[in-house]
Amino acid sequence: MYVRSVTARVLLLATAWSGVALVVIALVISALYTKSAERAFTDLLRAQLYNVVNSITIGDDNALAGNPQLGDLRFSQPETGWYWIVEPLGTFAATPLSSSSLGTSNIKVPSILNVPFNNRYERFYPAIDAFGNNVLVAETEVVLDSEGRAARFRVTGNLTVVTEDVQAFTQSLYIALVVFGLGSLVVNGLAILFGLRPLDEARRALEKVRRGEAERLEGEFPREVHALTIEMNALIDSNRRIVERARSQVGNLAHSLKTPIAVLLNESRLIDKGHGEVVRGQAEAMQSQVQSYLNRARIAAQRESMLARTDAEPVLERLMRVMRRLNPEKTFELIATQANLALAMEQQDVEETVGNLLENAARHSKSGVWLTIMPSLAPEGEDPARRNWVEIAVEDDGPGLNPDEIKEAMKRGRRLDESKPGTGLGLSIVGEIAREYQGRFRLSRGRRGGLRAVLTLPGISRDAA
């Protein structure tokens, strides 16, 4: 799965690394402590073993004598796994001695071949006593007198002590590491969020530019982000210059064509009626087509600009007032389902597209025209996260069109009603402008029986964060 958020990526990597590091640390420390506990246990048994050795002698009756005091009550309590045992070796036929905790039991001695003595003549081996305790045996053999009489000394300790000690330490260690890990994640998260805050501030500054609330990225940014803001501001300035240059060129072209077309229209009035109508119709069509292509060139020059912004409701209300004055016998109603909607379009393009639809609806309606503006879903193929979208619907109560007539009406220069004035370019121009802004335009039959024209256009929410 691809994570698109930089913050989420850094947090994920920091969390994964912290988790792996803490697990490895826990395992290493636990292993080291286990070895240390086992070594300490072995050293304890060795000390107790030599304490027993120093406490045992051969008495006047040639018997083993002595009463080791190891300072541990477990050597006097039965079945504890803590025992000491002294056994005569070779021809020394004395009675063995043992701690009271062992009772009459004994512990099996492995062969020297299986568990040899070390260079200190000691050996340690695990065993199981008669009571089922896992014990560690420390053993050595010592010559007790000048006659060479020797004895085997053994001291055992219950391995449960080591196991319980290691388990208690490991549990405390895991709890401490979990608490430390959670605390580290919180601190790392706060540090990462604080460190990446300038990027979020840059995003908000860029959002203000896109919404038309600022012309440049403004604010204090750290060195790592400052270079990016400089480049973004340079790009915005370059984009603004391109737009202004395109507008200037479009305006110059419009003015250069305006006079010749006006001359043709005036001259057509001096020609006889038949030929004059033809010339005037073609001049008007040429005028509309020139204006259409000029609009397309202008829109293409600025459609990717982040600076285009038009507050929709005031513009639409102004258009509705104009239509009410031109058609006082008809009703014109504006319905806005959400306040403060704005379009990412030039105002003149909004006026031209919606104005064309209102004129067409007023021309064919019986009693009224209804204009609705509302938020919309993104058109198919557009990323819904990139921008907001707005739907503008114009509906009348006229005769409407069937599906075949709708297809014909969308063609450039086609007029289905020759009795009405016009060039037949209005709907096609609306569609072209909508497409230039990556929007959509469609026609259908409305609920009131007339034509319903729907524009889906790129929008900007004034309240967007």
Side-chain angles (χ1 to χ4, degrees), residues 290-300 348-349 352 433:
V290 166
Q291 188 60 44
S292 172
Y293 281 106
L294 289 176
N295 287 339
R296 292 182 63 183
R298 174 178 50 78
I299 295 170
Q348 64 189 83
D349 295 327
E352 182 167 2
I433 293 177

Side-chain angles (χ1 to χ4, degrees), residues 95-399:
T95 302
L97 298 178
S98 64
S99 63
S100 58
S101 57
L102 184 62
T104 59
S105 304
N106 203 345
I107 296 176
K108 184 178 179 181
V109 179
S111 169
I112 296 177
L113 296 177
N114 294 330
V115 184
F117 287 96
N118 59 21
N119 55 1
R120 300 170 62 178
Y121 212 76
E122 302 167 347
R123 63 174 182 168
F124 297 85
Y125 53 87
I128 299 177
D129 66 11
F131 312 106
N133 296 312
N134 290 316
V135 298
L136 181 66
V137 181
E139 179 183 320
T140 189
E141 294 180 356
V142 177
V143 177
L144 297 176
D145 60 8
S146 59
E147 298 179 8
R149 289 178 291 187
R152 176 186 292 122
F153 292 81
R154 285 181 290 164
V155 172
T156 69
N158 198 327
L159 287 171
T160 305
V161 173
V162 178
T163 303
E164 291 177 349
D165 182 37
V166 171
Q167 288 178 347
F169 175 81
T170 302
Q171 183 177 6
S172 300
L173 174 66
Y174 289 169
I175 293 174
L177 289 179
V178 168
V179 173
F180 175 78
L182 293 177
S184 298
L185 290 179
V186 172
V187 173
N188 287 340
L190 294 176
I192 291 169
L193 292 176
F194 178 77
L196 294 179
R197 186 190 298 176
L199 292 179
D200 195 50
E201 292 176 353
R203 180 193 62 79
R204 286 196 293 269
L206 187 61
E207 185 73 15
K208 288 183 179 180
V209 174
R210 188 181 69 84
R211 296 200 307 266
E213 298 176 2
E215 294 186 354
R216 297 169 59 85
L217 271 67
E218 300 173 349
E220 295 292 332
F221 300 99
R223 183 176 63 255
E224 294 81 2
V225 182
H226 184 63
L228 175 63
T229 60
I230 292 176
E231 294 300 323
M232 289 299 300
N233 283 331
L235 178 62
I236 292 171
D237 292 339
S238 175
N239 185 78
R240 185 182 293 109
R241 289 193 296 270
I242 291 173
V243 171
E244 293 300 329
R245 186 165 58 250
R247 286 175 178 169
S248 177
Q249 292 174 352
V250 167
N252 293 337
L253 181 58
H255 283 293
S256 65
L257 294 175
K258 183 177 180 180
T259 300
I261 293 175
V263 171
L264 289 176
L265 288 173
N266 290 332
E267 291 297 324
S268 66
R269 296 187 180 92
L270 303 177
I271 304 175
D272 61 89
K273 184 176 181 181
H275 292 85
E277 289 291 336
V278 174
V279 174
R280 184 166 58 254
Q282 293 301 313
E284 290 176 348
M286 183 170 58
Q287 188 179 46
S288 297
Q289 291 187 17
V290 166
Q291 188 60 44
S292 172
Y293 281 106
L294 289 176
N295 287 339
R296 292 182 63 183
R298 174 178 50 78
I299 295 170
Q302 59 83 43
R303 65 183 176 185
E304 295 299 331
S305 170
M306 297 179 291
L307 306 177
R309 175 194 175 89
T310 300
D311 292 326
E313 198 167 343
V315 174
L316 299 183
E317 183 59 49
R318 186 166 58 251
L319 289 174
M320 295 297 276
R321 286 198 300 269
V322 172
M323 296 306 298
R324 291 188 188 105
R325 286 197 297 268
L326 295 176
N327 304 273
E329 75 284 0
K330 296 182 179 180
T331 300
F332 290 85
E333 182 179 351
L334 173 61
I335 304 169
T337 62
Q338 179 178 317
N340 300 328
L341 288 176
L343 296 167
M345 298 175 60
E346 293 289 338
Q347 179 175 324
Q348 64 189 83
D349 295 327
V350 177
E351 293 174 344
E352 182 167 2
T353 52
V354 180
N356 266 316
L357 295 179
L358 289 175
E359 288 178 5
N360 185 73
R363 188 182 304 124
H364 297 94
S365 66
K366 296 177 181 178
S367 62
V369 176
W370 292 265
L371 174 60
T372 304
I373 179 171
M374 66 183 73
S376 173
L377 298 176
E380 184 178 355
E382 294 288 339
D383 183 4
R386 182 171 178 263
R387 56 172 48 164
N388 296 322
W389 292 86
V390 175
E391 179 179 295
I392 298 177
V394 178
E395 185 177 350
D396 62 69
D397 59 353

Side-chain angles (χ1 to χ4, degrees), residues 398-413:
L401 301 176
N402 60 44
D404 292 334
E405 290 172 333
I406 289 176
K407 292 181 181 179
E408 287 294 316
M410 293 296 291
K411 294 180 180 178
R412 172 175 288 274

